Amino acid sequence: MKTSNIVQILVLACLLITGCTDNFEEINTNPNAPETVSANLLTATVTSEITRTLTQEGYSDGNSITQLMAKNNFPGFAQFDWGDQGMWNFFYGILPEIDDILQISRNEETQNSTYEGIALTLRALCFANLTDLYGNVPYSEALAGDIEGIFTPVYDSQEMIYNGVLQDLANADVALAANQSISGTTGDVIYDGDPAQWRKLANALRLRYLLRISKQRDVSQEMQAIASTGNYINTNADNATLTYSGTSNTDSWPQSTGRIGGFDEKSLCDTALEYFNTFNDPRLDIWFDRNSEGKWVGMPIGLNQDNARAFDDANSPSRLDVDLFYYSRTDAQAYIIKNSEVQFILAEAAERGIISGDAEAYYNAGVRASLSYWGVDDTTITTYLAQPAVSYNGSLELLLTQKTIALWNVDYQGWMNYRRTGLPALEPGPDTLNGAFYPVRFLYPSSEQTLNTANYQNAVNAMGGDNINVKGWWETGTRY
């Protein structure tokens, strides 16, 4: 008998039997395959994906745009040959999962203030990155597709988005202060669901973003309140990091799973070499290898393909440390924010008079935290800080140069600092495709022009164009 005939007979039988559909949903629900995903499984995905992706972006392009690293092959990014560049799809792809955690954390049956605080912190992190990278972006309607059927969301202003980001982080602080435990496996690869540590992360991010908008707004009261409580990332033990297990390609430092030829395409930038030589900096020997002649050689930023290959062949620039960044699957970590960045934030805020406190003490703590994280011993750090070129003298250029170095691999945060302060000064390379300008944003994805045309055009008109030289709201303030 044909399969189609069998199906027809069975369907007819069900229709004839009165009780065929009684308790249908109960009978046909598999208890081992729940329809909704639990908060811990979602948290495992989002904490891992966000931390790994941010660090990979920092390694691949963030270090290039701050001229800590240069590429001797496929160098178009440093020439500012930018098209659909950046992390638009990643963030808008993962935000619905974060929103699911938030909804689960607030449901009567599954309420948990720690998961709520985690979700609010991660939502703020994603939207802050989106607006920092692109300017005006979908925010208020960004997650309204499933419930409200809005699939062409409006773009909101950067100021409005920052108001929401800072409110989310303030709400996260309150939720995490409840210190509610999570039973069983948390799924959290950063702090294993520790609310006290997540609270420190939320407040560290608040400090980052408050300083970012400080050219536009008086943030002294809010920053001082956080600094006075001390409830923020304040030691390297507090760092928001992910340690790879090395058990699979997914759980390994990404560079360790690729080909050695791809790894060798990245070299020391001559701008960074100048910093390292000026400071007699031990991080040079940690992050890079000497060339075949035993020398440190940096590559100029922004060379085109032919010139980059020619320079590489003639000069053999120093490549990245192969043991740390290629052969080991676990030695290099992924991270969201570290203590060193927070200390430099406080140092700049103190130097500008935004908060009270000793700028030099914060600066020294930032330098010490960065060097210590990379394995430099205390005696060497003390000697390093005592050098005239390193010793703090009130110079914002010195402070922000040290901060830029400490932001190695931290997504695009060094670029954000440059855009806000102009320090340390960065110049385009000789083969730049952007004239005399150093870019300050990524272009909107081309898909937005076709799928969300009206709202895209409104955003472009509001910002003054869709090109890589259009400054955002927080960059154009005049408070300093």
Side-chain angles (χ1 to χ4, degrees), residues 392-425:
Y392 190 66
N393 57 6
S395 165
L396 284 169
E397 183 172 7
L398 171 63
L399 190 161
L400 288 162
T401 301
Q402 284 285 349
K403 183 180 181 181
T404 296
I405 298 172
L407 286 170
W408 170 264
N409 285 358
V410 185
D411 58 90
Y412 296 97
Q413 294 307 310
W415 182 40
M416 311 301 180
N417 285 317
Y418 165 75
R419 288 160 49 190
R420 178 175 57 85
T421 67
L423 298 171

PDB file of all heavy atoms in Angstrom, residues 392-425:
ATOM      1  N   TYR A 392      54.648  59.612  35.654  1.00  0.00           N
ATOM      2  CA  TYR A 392      53.525  60.494  35.345  1.00  0.00           C
ATOM      3  C   TYR A 392      53.867  61.947  35.629  1.00  0.00           C
ATOM      4  O   TYR A 392      54.387  62.298  36.694  1.00  0.00           O
ATOM      5  CB  TYR A 392      52.288  60.091  36.144  1.00  0.00           C
ATOM      6  CG  TYR A 392      51.049  60.815  35.696  1.00  0.00           C
ATOM      7  CD1 TYR A 392      50.523  60.595  34.429  1.00  0.00           C
ATOM      8  CD2 TYR A 392      50.404  61.737  36.522  1.00  0.00           C
ATOM      9  CE1 TYR A 392      49.390  61.265  33.993  1.00  0.00           C
ATOM     10  CE2 TYR A 392      49.270  62.402  36.093  1.00  0.00           C
ATOM     11  CZ  TYR A 392      48.766  62.165  34.826  1.00  0.00           C
ATOM     12  OH  TYR A 392      47.643  62.836  34.398  1.00  0.00           O
ATOM     13  N   ASN A 393      53.540  62.811  34.663  1.00  0.00           N
ATOM     14  CA  ASN A 393      53.847  64.240  34.781  1.00  0.00           C
ATOM     15  C   ASN A 393      52.632  65.120  34.479  1.00  0.00           C
ATOM     16  O   ASN A 393      52.781  66.308  34.184  1.00  0.00           O
ATOM     17  CB  ASN A 393      54.991  64.597  33.827  1.00  0.00           C
ATOM     18  CG  ASN A 393      54.674  64.243  32.373  1.00  0.00           C
ATOM     19  OD1 ASN A 393      53.555  63.826  32.072  1.00  0.00           O
ATOM     20  ND2 ASN A 393      55.648  64.395  31.497  1.00  0.00           N
ATOM     21  N   GLY A 394      51.441  64.513  34.533  1.00  0.00           N
ATOM     22  CA  GLY A 394      50.230  65.268  34.240  1.00  0.00           C
ATOM     23  C   GLY A 394      49.877  65.318  32.769  1.00  0.00           C
ATOM     24  O   GLY A 394      48.884  65.956  32.391  1.00  0.00           O
ATOM     25  N   SER A 395      50.659  64.652  31.935  1.00  0.00           N
ATOM     26  CA  SER A 395      50.435  64.685  30.493  1.00  0.00           C
ATOM     27  C   SER A 395      49.329  63.723  30.090  1.00  0.00           C
ATOM     28  O   SER A 395      49.423  62.510  30.316  1.00  0.00           O
ATOM     29  CB  SER A 395      51.728  64.312  29.752  1.00  0.00           C
ATOM     30  OG  SER A 395      51.462  64.006  28.401  1.00  0.00           O
ATOM     31  N   LEU A 396      48.290  64.259  29.453  1.00  0.00           N
ATOM     32  CA  LEU A 396      47.230  63.403  28.939  1.00  0.00           C
ATOM     33  C   LEU A 396      47.726  62.548  27.779  1.00  0.00           C
ATOM     34  O   LEU A 396      47.247  61.430  27.573  1.00  0.00           O
ATOM     35  CB  LEU A 396      46.040  64.237  28.496  1.00  0.00           C
ATOM     36  CG  LEU A 396      45.161  64.793  29.626  1.00  0.00           C
ATOM     37  CD1 LEU A 396      44.170  65.815  29.081  1.00  0.00           C
ATOM     38  CD2 LEU A 396      44.413  63.665  30.336  1.00  0.00           C
ATOM     39  N   GLU A 397      48.679  63.055  27.019  1.00  0.00           N
ATOM     40  CA  GLU A 397      49.224  62.255  25.915  1.00  0.00           C
ATOM     41  C   GLU A 397      49.932  61.011  26.447  1.00  0.00           C
ATOM     42  O   GLU A 397      49.757  59.912  25.914  1.00  0.00           O
ATOM     43  CB  GLU A 397      50.181  63.080  25.065  1.00  0.00           C
ATOM     44  CG  GLU A 397      50.715  62.296  23.866  1.00  0.00           C
ATOM     45  CD  GLU A 397      51.516  63.152  22.907  1.00  0.00           C
ATOM     46  OE1 GLU A 397      51.783  64.330  23.220  1.00  0.00           O
ATOM     47  OE2 GLU A 397      51.868  62.634  21.834  1.00  0.00           O
ATOM     48  N   LEU A 398      50.711  61.170  27.500  1.00  0.00           N
ATOM     49  CA  LEU A 398      51.370  60.020  28.120  1.00  0.00           C
ATOM     50  C   LEU A 398      50.329  59.051  28.664  1.00  0.00           C
ATOM     51  O   LEU A 398      50.411  57.827  28.431  1.00  0.00           O
ATOM     52  CB  LEU A 398      52.291  60.486  29.248  1.00  0.00           C
ATOM     53  CG  LEU A 398      52.899  59.389  30.130  1.00  0.00           C
ATOM     54  CD1 LEU A 398      53.800  58.472  29.316  1.00  0.00           C
ATOM     55  CD2 LEU A 398      53.662  60.006  31.307  1.00  0.00           C
ATOM     56  N   LEU A 399      49.348  59.574  29.371  1.00  0.00           N
ATOM     57  CA  LEU A 399      48.322  58.736  29.978  1.00  0.00           C
ATOM     58  C   LEU A 399      47.576  57.939  28.909  1.00  0.00           C
ATOM     59  O   LEU A 399      47.385  56.716  29.041  1.00  0.00           O
ATOM     60  CB  LEU A 399      47.350  59.635  30.758  1.00  0.00           C
ATOM     61  CG  LEU A 399      46.309  58.998  31.678  1.00  0.00           C
ATOM     62  CD1 LEU A 399      45.801  60.058  32.669  1.00  0.00           C
ATOM     63  CD2 LEU A 399      45.113  58.420  30.924  1.00  0.00           C
ATOM     64  N   LEU A 400      47.164  58.621  27.832  1.00  0.00           N
ATOM     65  CA  LEU A 400      46.356  57.952  26.818  1.00  0.00           C
ATOM     66  C   LEU A 400      47.192  57.055  25.913  1.00  0.00           C
ATOM     67  O   LEU A 400      46.668  56.096  25.325  1.00  0.00           O
ATOM     68  CB  LEU A 400      45.582  58.986  26.013  1.00  0.00           C
ATOM     69  CG  LEU A 400      44.431  59.608  26.818  1.00  0.00           C
ATOM     70  CD1 LEU A 400      43.955  60.918  26.212  1.00  0.00           C
ATOM     71  CD2 LEU A 400      43.260  58.635  26.923  1.00  0.00           C
ATOM     72  N   THR A 401      48.475  57.312  25.796  1.00  0.00           N
ATOM     73  CA  THR A 401      49.345  56.379  25.075  1.00  0.00           C
ATOM     74  C   THR A 401      49.482  55.088  25.856  1.00  0.00           C
ATOM     75  O   THR A 401      49.367  53.988  25.295  1.00  0.00           O
ATOM     76  CB  THR A 401      50.726  57.001  24.826  1.00  0.00           C
ATOM     77  OG1 THR A 401      50.583  58.209  24.063  1.00  0.00           O
ATOM     78  CG2 THR A 401      51.628  56.038  24.059  1.00  0.00           C
ATOM     79  N   GLN A 402      49.705  55.203  27.150  1.00  0.00           N
ATOM     80  CA  GLN A 402      49.771  53.999  27.989  1.00  0.00           C
ATOM     81  C   GLN A 402      48.437  53.257  27.984  1.00  0.00           C
ATOM     82  O   GLN A 402      48.396  52.025  27.955  1.00  0.00           O
ATOM     83  CB  GLN A 402      50.164  54.372  29.415  1.00  0.00           C
ATOM     84  CG  GLN A 402      51.636  54.694  29.614  1.00  0.00           C
ATOM     85  CD  GLN A 402      52.522  53.448  29.605  1.00  0.00           C
ATOM     86  OE1 GLN A 402      52.037  52.320  29.646  1.00  0.00           O
ATOM     87  NE2 GLN A 402      53.823  53.662  29.557  1.00  0.00           N
ATOM     88  N   LYS A 403      47.339  53.994  27.977  1.00  0.00           N
ATOM     89  CA  LYS A 403      46.029  53.352  27.942  1.00  0.00           C
ATOM     90  C   LYS A 403      45.831  52.605  26.626  1.00  0.00           C
ATOM     91  O   LYS A 403      45.298  51.481  26.607  1.00  0.00           O
ATOM     92  CB  LYS A 403      44.928  54.396  28.135  1.00  0.00           C
ATOM     93  CG  LYS A 403      43.521  53.800  28.181  1.00  0.00           C
ATOM     94  CD  LYS A 403      42.469  54.889  28.376  1.00  0.00           C
ATOM     95  CE  LYS A 403      41.066  54.302  28.455  1.00  0.00           C
ATOM     96  NZ  LYS A 403      40.033  55.352  28.617  1.00  0.00           N
ATOM     97  N   THR A 404      46.259  53.224  25.520  1.00  0.00           N
ATOM     98  CA  THR A 404      46.129  52.573  24.220  1.00  0.00           C
ATOM     99  C   THR A 404      46.893  51.262  24.182  1.00  0.00           C
ATOM    100  O   THR A 404      46.388  50.243  23.682  1.00  0.00           O
ATOM    101  CB  THR A 404      46.626  53.510  23.102  1.00  0.00           C
ATOM    102  OG1 THR A 404      45.786  54.666  23.052  1.00  0.00           O
ATOM    103  CG2 THR A 404      46.617  52.817  21.749  1.00  0.00           C
ATOM    104  N   ILE A 405      48.094  51.254  24.710  1.00  0.00           N
ATOM    105  CA  ILE A 405      48.871  50.010  24.757  1.00  0.00           C
ATOM    106  C   ILE A 405      48.152  48.971  25.607  1.00  0.00           C
ATOM    107  O   ILE A 405      48.056  47.797  25.238  1.00  0.00           O
ATOM    108  CB  ILE A 405      50.288  50.283  25.301  1.00  0.00           C
ATOM    109  CG1 ILE A 405      51.054  51.238  24.381  1.00  0.00           C
ATOM    110  CG2 ILE A 405      51.060  48.967  25.454  1.00  0.00           C
ATOM    111  CD1 ILE A 405      52.386  51.707  24.952  1.00  0.00           C
ATOM    112  N   ALA A 406      47.636  49.392  26.747  1.00  0.00           N
ATOM    113  CA  ALA A 406      46.930  48.468  27.649  1.00  0.00           C
ATOM    114  C   ALA A 406      45.661  47.914  27.025  1.00  0.00           C
ATOM    115  O   ALA A 406      45.173  46.852  27.438  1.00  0.00           O
ATOM    116  CB  ALA A 406      46.613  49.159  28.970  1.00  0.00           C
ATOM    117  N   LEU A 407      45.116  48.618  26.019  1.00  0.00           N
ATOM    118  CA  LEU A 407      43.887  48.169  25.356  1.00  0.00           C
ATOM    119  C   LEU A 407      44.170  47.194  24.215  1.00  0.00           C
ATOM    120  O   LEU A 407      43.302  46.964  23.368  1.00  0.00           O
ATOM    121  CB  LEU A 407      43.100  49.373  24.844  1.00  0.00           C
ATOM    122  CG  LEU A 407      42.391  50.188  25.928  1.00  0.00           C
ATOM    123  CD1 LEU A 407      41.834  51.492  25.363  1.00  0.00           C
ATOM    124  CD2 LEU A 407      41.265  49.379  26.568  1.00  0.00           C
ATOM    125  N   TRP A 408      45.327  46.612  24.187  1.00  0.00           N
ATOM    126  CA  TRP A 408      45.672  45.571  23.222  1.00  0.00           C
ATOM    127  C   TRP A 408      44.587  44.488  23.216  1.00  0.00           C
ATOM    128  O   TRP A 408      44.243  43.926  24.252  1.00  0.00           O
ATOM    129  CB  TRP A 408      47.023  44.978  23.620  1.00  0.00           C
ATOM    130  CG  TRP A 408      47.459  43.747  22.907  1.00  0.00           C
ATOM    131  CD1 TRP A 408      47.309  42.459  23.319  1.00  0.00           C
ATOM    132  CD2 TRP A 408      48.167  43.680  21.661  1.00  0.00           C
ATOM    133  NE1 TRP A 408      47.856  41.585  22.420  1.00  0.00           N
ATOM    134  CE2 TRP A 408      48.389  42.312  21.382  1.00  0.00           C
ATOM    135  CE3 TRP A 408      48.613  44.647  20.758  1.00  0.00           C
ATOM    136  CZ2 TRP A 408      49.062  41.879  20.237  1.00  0.00           C
ATOM    137  CZ3 TRP A 408      49.286  44.213  19.620  1.00  0.00           C
ATOM    138  CH2 TRP A 408      49.501  42.855  19.366  1.00  0.00           C
ATOM    139  N   ASN A 409      44.019  44.245  22.022  1.00  0.00           N
ATOM    140  CA  ASN A 409      42.990  43.216  21.816  1.00  0.00           C
ATOM    141  C   ASN A 409      41.620  43.575  22.386  1.00  0.00           C
ATOM    142  O   ASN A 409      40.697  42.759  22.277  1.00  0.00           O
ATOM    143  CB  ASN A 409      43.395  41.854  22.391  1.00  0.00           C
ATOM    144  CG  ASN A 409      44.439  41.141  21.545  1.00  0.00           C
ATOM    145  OD1 ASN A 409      44.849  41.642  20.503  1.00  0.00           O
ATOM    146  ND2 ASN A 409      44.866  39.981  21.986  1.00  0.00           N
ATOM    147  N   VAL A 410      41.446  44.736  23.009  1.00  0.00           N
ATOM    148  CA  VAL A 410      40.139  45.090  23.584  1.00  0.00           C
ATOM    149  C   VAL A 410      39.295  45.770  22.508  1.00  0.00           C
ATOM    150  O   VAL A 410      39.216  46.992  22.440  1.00  0.00           O
ATOM    151  CB  VAL A 410      40.285  45.988  24.828  1.00  0.00           C
ATOM    152  CG1 VAL A 410      38.910  46.231  25.464  1.00  0.00           C
ATOM    153  CG2 VAL A 410      41.219  45.341  25.841  1.00  0.00           C
ATOM    154  N   ASP A 411      38.716  44.986  21.661  1.00  0.00           N
ATOM    155  CA  ASP A 411      37.881  45.407  20.520  1.00  0.00           C
ATOM    156  C   ASP A 411      38.383  46.716  19.923  1.00  0.00           C
ATOM    157  O   ASP A 411      39.539  46.807  19.510  1.00  0.00           O
ATOM    158  CB  ASP A 411      36.389  45.416  20.884  1.00  0.00           C
ATOM    159  CG  ASP A 411      35.997  46.290  22.055  1.00  0.00           C
ATOM    160  OD1 ASP A 411      35.691  47.469  21.841  1.00  0.00           O
ATOM    161  OD2 ASP A 411      35.944  45.773  23.195  1.00  0.00           O
ATOM    162  N   TYR A 412      37.551  47.751  19.872  1.00  0.00           N
ATOM    163  CA  TYR A 412      37.942  49.017  19.238  1.00  0.00           C
ATOM    164  C   TYR A 412      38.053  50.153  20.260  1.00  0.00           C
ATOM    165  O   TYR A 412      37.947  51.329  19.886  1.00  0.00           O
ATOM    166  CB  TYR A 412      36.921  49.389  18.157  1.00  0.00           C
ATOM    167  CG  TYR A 412      36.860  48.411  17.006  1.00  0.00           C
ATOM    168  CD1 TYR A 412      35.895  47.410  16.977  1.00  0.00           C
ATOM    169  CD2 TYR A 412      37.780  48.474  15.965  1.00  0.00           C
ATOM    170  CE1 TYR A 412      35.843  46.504  15.918  1.00  0.00           C
ATOM    171  CE2 TYR A 412      37.738  47.575  14.911  1.00  0.00           C
ATOM    172  CZ  TYR A 412      36.766  46.590  14.897  1.00  0.00           C
ATOM    173  OH  TYR A 412      36.717  45.690  13.848  1.00  0.00           O
ATOM    174  N   GLN A 413      38.300  49.824  21.520  1.00  0.00           N
ATOM    175  CA  GLN A 413      38.269  50.854  22.560  1.00  0.00           C
ATOM    176  C   GLN A 413      39.382  51.881  22.410  1.00  0.00           C
ATOM    177  O   GLN A 413      39.198  53.062  22.726  1.00  0.00           O
ATOM    178  CB  GLN A 413      38.308  50.200  23.941  1.00  0.00           C
ATOM    179  CG  GLN A 413      37.075  49.369  24.262  1.00  0.00           C
ATOM    180  CD  GLN A 413      35.789  50.131  24.075  1.00  0.00           C
ATOM    181  OE1 GLN A 413      35.650  51.247  24.581  1.00  0.00           O
ATOM    182  NE2 GLN A 413      34.839  49.554  23.348  1.00  0.00           N
ATOM    183  N   GLY A 414      40.556  51.469  21.949  1.00  0.00           N
ATOM    184  CA  GLY A 414      41.624  52.441  21.715  1.00  0.00           C
ATOM    185  C   GLY A 414      41.242  53.458  20.658  1.00  0.00           C
ATOM    186  O   GLY A 414      41.558  54.651  20.773  1.00  0.00           O
ATOM    187  N   TRP A 415      40.547  53.005  19.628  1.00  0.00           N
ATOM    188  CA  TRP A 415      40.063  53.895  18.568  1.00  0.00           C
ATOM    189  C   TRP A 415      39.022  54.859  19.120  1.00  0.00           C
ATOM    190  O   TRP A 415      39.016  56.046  18.779  1.00  0.00           O
ATOM    191  CB  TRP A 415      39.489  53.048  17.439  1.00  0.00           C
ATOM    192  CG  TRP A 415      38.985  53.773  16.238  1.00  0.00           C
ATOM    193  CD1 TRP A 415      39.549  54.865  15.625  1.00  0.00           C
ATOM    194  CD2 TRP A 415      37.812  53.451  15.476  1.00  0.00           C
ATOM    195  NE1 TRP A 415      38.796  55.233  14.527  1.00  0.00           N
ATOM    196  CE2 TRP A 415      37.725  54.383  14.408  1.00  0.00           C
ATOM    197  CE3 TRP A 415      36.842  52.459  15.576  1.00  0.00           C
ATOM    198  CZ2 TRP A 415      36.705  54.346  13.468  1.00  0.00           C
ATOM    199  CZ3 TRP A 415      35.818  52.419  14.631  1.00  0.00           C
ATOM    200  CH2 TRP A 415      35.760  53.354  13.595  1.00  0.00           C
ATOM    201  N   MET A 416      38.153  54.369  20.002  1.00  0.00           N
ATOM    202  CA  MET A 416      37.153  55.257  20.618  1.00  0.00           C
ATOM    203  C   MET A 416      37.844  56.377  21.400  1.00  0.00           C
ATOM    204  O   MET A 416      37.444  57.541  21.341  1.00  0.00           O
ATOM    205  CB  MET A 416      36.232  54.478  21.554  1.00  0.00           C
ATOM    206  CG  MET A 416      35.616  53.217  21.016  1.00  0.00           C
ATOM    207  SD  MET A 416      34.615  53.465  19.553  1.00  0.00           S
ATOM    208  CE  MET A 416      34.090  51.774  19.252  1.00  0.00           C
ATOM    209  N   ASN A 417      38.883  56.036  22.141  1.00  0.00           N
ATOM    210  CA  ASN A 417      39.602  57.052  22.905  1.00  0.00           C
ATOM    211  C   ASN A 417      40.265  58.079  21.993  1.00  0.00           C
ATOM    212  O   ASN A 417      40.257  59.281  22.274  1.00  0.00           O
ATOM    213  CB  ASN A 417      40.657  56.389  23.794  1.00  0.00           C
ATOM    214  CG  ASN A 417      40.050  55.703  24.992  1.00  0.00           C
ATOM    215  OD1 ASN A 417      39.163  56.222  25.649  1.00  0.00           O
ATOM    216  ND2 ASN A 417      40.510  54.502  25.283  1.00  0.00           N
ATOM    217  N   TYR A 418      40.855  57.591  20.893  1.00  0.00           N
ATOM    218  CA  TYR A 418      41.467  58.518  19.942  1.00  0.00           C
ATOM    219  C   TYR A 418      40.426  59.469  19.368  1.00  0.00           C
ATOM    220  O   TYR A 418      40.661  60.678  19.240  1.00  0.00           O
ATOM    221  CB  TYR A 418      42.152  57.744  18.816  1.00  0.00           C
ATOM    222  CG  TYR A 418      42.483  58.620  17.636  1.00  0.00           C
ATOM    223  CD1 TYR A 418      43.556  59.513  17.691  1.00  0.00           C
ATOM    224  CD2 TYR A 418      41.693  58.597  16.480  1.00  0.00           C
ATOM    225  CE1 TYR A 418      43.839  60.349  16.619  1.00  0.00           C
ATOM    226  CE2 TYR A 418      41.972  59.432  15.406  1.00  0.00           C
ATOM    227  CZ  TYR A 418      43.043  60.307  15.482  1.00  0.00           C
ATOM    228  OH  TYR A 418      43.314  61.132  14.429  1.00  0.00           O
ATOM    229  N   ARG A 419      39.255  58.946  19.010  1.00  0.00           N
ATOM    230  CA  ARG A 419      38.219  59.771  18.419  1.00  0.00           C
ATOM    231  C   ARG A 419      37.730  60.842  19.393  1.00  0.00           C
ATOM    232  O   ARG A 419      37.387  61.966  18.987  1.00  0.00           O
ATOM    233  CB  ARG A 419      37.055  58.897  17.968  1.00  0.00           C
ATOM    234  CG  ARG A 419      37.361  58.064  16.740  1.00  0.00           C
ATOM    235  CD  ARG A 419      36.420  56.894  16.596  1.00  0.00           C
ATOM    236  NE  ARG A 419      35.025  57.287  16.725  1.00  0.00           N
ATOM    237  CZ  ARG A 419      34.017  56.431  16.824  1.00  0.00           C
ATOM    238  NH1 ARG A 419      34.261  55.124  16.826  1.00  0.00           N
ATOM    239  NH2 ARG A 419      32.782  56.863  16.931  1.00  0.00           N
ATOM    240  N   ARG A 420      37.709  60.524  20.677  1.00  0.00           N
ATOM    241  CA  ARG A 420      37.239  61.491  21.675  1.00  0.00           C
ATOM    242  C   ARG A 420      38.307  62.522  22.011  1.00  0.00           C
ATOM    243  O   ARG A 420      37.995  63.698  22.248  1.00  0.00           O
ATOM    244  CB  ARG A 420      36.804  60.753  22.952  1.00  0.00           C
ATOM    245  CG  ARG A 420      36.349  61.655  24.079  1.00  0.00           C
ATOM    246  CD  ARG A 420      35.833  60.854  25.255  1.00  0.00           C
ATOM    247  NE  ARG A 420      36.804  59.911  25.769  1.00  0.00           N
ATOM    248  CZ  ARG A 420      37.762  60.214  26.658  1.00  0.00           C
ATOM    249  NH1 ARG A 420      37.863  61.450  27.125  1.00  0.00           N
ATOM    250  NH2 ARG A 420      38.600  59.297  27.077  1.00  0.00           N
ATOM    251  N   THR A 421      39.574  62.120  22.044  1.00  0.00           N
ATOM    252  CA  THR A 421      40.630  62.981  22.565  1.00  0.00           C
ATOM    253  C   THR A 421      41.668  63.415  21.539  1.00  0.00           C
ATOM    254  O   THR A 421      42.376  64.393  21.768  1.00  0.00           O
ATOM    255  CB  THR A 421      41.382  62.260  23.699  1.00  0.00           C
ATOM    256  OG1 THR A 421      42.103  61.134  23.152  1.00  0.00           O
ATOM    257  CG2 THR A 421      40.415  61.768  24.773  1.00  0.00           C
ATOM    258  N   GLY A 422      41.785  62.661  20.435  1.00  0.00           N
ATOM    259  CA  GLY A 422      42.864  62.923  19.486  1.00  0.00           C
ATOM    260  C   GLY A 422      44.209  62.442  19.961  1.00  0.00           C
ATOM    261  O   GLY A 422      45.240  62.764  19.339  1.00  0.00           O
ATOM    262  N   LEU A 423      44.217  61.649  21.040  1.00  0.00           N
ATOM    263  CA  LEU A 423      45.462  61.168  21.637  1.00  0.00           C
ATOM    264  C   LEU A 423      45.445  59.655  21.804  1.00  0.00           C
ATOM    265  O   LEU A 423      44.405  59.082  22.130  1.00  0.00           O
ATOM    266  CB  LEU A 423      45.678  61.823  23.002  1.00  0.00           C
ATOM    267  CG  LEU A 423      45.827  63.342  23.000  1.00  0.00           C
ATOM    268  CD1 LEU A 423      45.809  63.872  24.433  1.00  0.00           C
ATOM    269  CD2 LEU A 423      47.122  63.760  22.302  1.00  0.00           C
ATOM    270  N   PRO A 424      46.624  59.034  21.619  1.00  0.00           N
ATOM    271  CA  PRO A 424      47.820  59.591  20.985  1.00  0.00           C
ATOM    272  C   PRO A 424      47.554  59.907  19.519  1.00  0.00           C
ATOM    273  O   PRO A 424      46.729  59.261  18.875  1.00  0.00           O
ATOM    274  CB  PRO A 424      48.859  58.469  21.133  1.00  0.00           C
ATOM    275  CG  PRO A 424      48.056  57.217  21.214  1.00  0.00           C
ATOM    276  CD  PRO A 424      46.786  57.592  21.936  1.00  0.00           C
ATOM    277  N   ALA A 425      48.260  60.902  19.013  1.00  0.00           N
ATOM    278  CA  ALA A 425      48.019  61.362  17.646  1.00  0.00           C
ATOM    279  C   ALA A 425      48.295  60.237  16.652  1.00  0.00           C
ATOM    280  O   ALA A 425      49.308  59.546  16.745  1.00  0.00           O
ATOM    281  CB  ALA A 425      48.912  62.562  17.336  1.00  0.00           C
TER     282      ALA A 425
END
